[in-house]
Amino acid sequence: MQRKELEAIFDQQAAGYDQQWSRLAPIRDGLNLLVSAVFSGLPADARVLCVGAGTGSEILHLAQRFPEYHFTAVEPSASMLEVCRRRAEEHGIASRCEFHNGYLETLAPSTPFDAATSLLVSQFIMEEEKRSDFFREIAERLRPGGYLASADLASDIDSMAYQSLLDVWVQLMSAGDVSPDTVERFRAMYGRDVAVLPPERISAIMTAGGFDAPVPFFQAGLVHAWYARRTSSVI
């Protein structure tokens, strides 16, 4: 899927995005809780880069947990970023945030960040080399030793376990009766428009992008998450 197509989809979904995926809120909240634990050793005034910030759920969680953190939200969907900005204003944290409508390569150079998040973002990059390049762009924005918390859908789509788990996953998202057509649509989309890969392959892609061996720290259904530290030098 091309960038413009993906942006258009998220622009259309922005207004009702959080409500649309409210059934998955416990997974989101659990992931954010674990991310805050990973970041707990950062400086009190840490600067955090949120790549593909969406409506800003991780920013709101981290801002409440760490009242001196500052955030840079990078989001290519203008409508999603506007929701993120509005939520930040409603929660009184907008003064601690910068909002960038675009991709990471168009973000102005700055002092290196202490940490970054990339939650359910890299899965939309279908080519593995470009996916490694994406992580390398993040690594280049971090100080040496800086943390990345990354989450994506992951599984071996050729395995029987995946075929069974996908049925459960679709039921979870739909919270009720799901037609066979819906299940088949997701089976086609995962692998064609969403790069669902085995967890160990995603870990290797992150390492190739300039990070030490990623540590798995969360899984719920098809969602897997890792944290990793930027290597001392990024090539």
Side-chain angles (χ1 to χ4, degrees), residues 31-44 46-50 58-59 61-63 65-66 69 71 114-119 142-143 145-150 217 226-229:
L31 175 57
N32 287 337
L33 179 67
L34 267 294
V35 170
S36 67
V38 171
F39 288 176
S40 62
L42 296 177
R47 299 174 62 253
V48 180
L49 173 66
C50 298
E58 72 261 35
I59 293 175
H61 180 91
L62 290 169
R65 174 68 176 79
F66 303 106
Y69 277 20
F71 305 90
D114 297 290
T117 62
S118 170
L119 305 184
L142 295 174
R143 61 173 174 78
Y147 279 93
L148 168 65
S150 179
F217 72 97
W226 301 259
Y227 70 82
R229 303 188 72 173

Side-chain angles (χ1 to χ4, degrees), residues 29 39 53 64 73 76 82 108 140 142:
D29 295 342
F39 288 176
Q64 182 178 22
E82 185 54 36
E140 290 172 347
L142 295 174

Side-chain angles (χ1 to χ4, degrees), residues 113-132:
F113 291 91
D114 297 290
T117 62
S118 170
L119 305 184
L120 303 177
V121 177
S122 86
Q123 64 193 28
F124 294 109
I125 304 173
M126 301 304 296
E127 298 177 29
E128 291 191 19
E129 184 175 351
K130 290 184 178 179
R131 200 166 177 177
S132 284

Side-chain angles (χ1 to χ4, degrees), residues 95-112:
S95 62
R96 296 160 55 194
C97 300
E98 294 182 15
F99 303 94
H100 176 69
N101 179 211
Y103 293 89
L104 197 52
E105 66 261 28
T106 61
L107 180 67
S110 69
T111 302

Side-chain angles (χ1 to χ4, degrees), residues 105-235:
E105 66 261 28
T106 61
L107 180 67
S110 69
T111 302
F113 291 91
D114 297 290
T117 62
S118 170
L119 305 184
L120 303 177
V121 177
S122 86
Q123 64 193 28
F124 294 109
I125 304 173
M126 301 304 296
E127 298 177 29
E128 291 191 19
E129 184 175 351
K130 290 184 178 179
R131 200 166 177 177
S132 284
D133 289 343
F134 167 78
F135 286 116
R136 186 173 294 105
E137 286 185 69
I138 295 175
E140 290 172 347
R141 299 277 184 164
L142 295 174
R143 61 173 174 78
Y147 279 93
L148 168 65
S150 179
D152 283 304
L153 301 185
S155 187
D156 179 357
I157 63 176
D158 294 322
S159 69
M160 291 300 297
Y162 168 75
Q163 301 303 327
S164 179
L165 182 56
L166 180 59
D167 291 339
V168 174
W169 185 249
V170 175
Q171 290 286 348
L172 173 64
M173 290 192 294
S174 302
D177 294 332
V178 180
S179 70
D181 288 345
T182 299
V183 174
E184 290 309 311
R185 188 163 65 249
F186 276 99
R187 289 192 198 282
M189 181 177 67
Y190 292 166
R192 182 193 64 201
D193 298 322
V194 180
V196 179
L197 299 176
E200 60 273 15
R201 186 64 206 139
I202 298 175
S203 179
I205 289 170
M206 293 174 64
T207 301
F211 289 92
D212 290 333
V215 179
F217 72 97
F218 180 87
Q219 181 189 351
L222 289 175
V223 176
H224 291 244
W226 301 259
Y227 70 82
R229 303 188 72 173
R230 202 205 96 159
T231 57
S232 57
S233 61
V234 178
I235 300 175

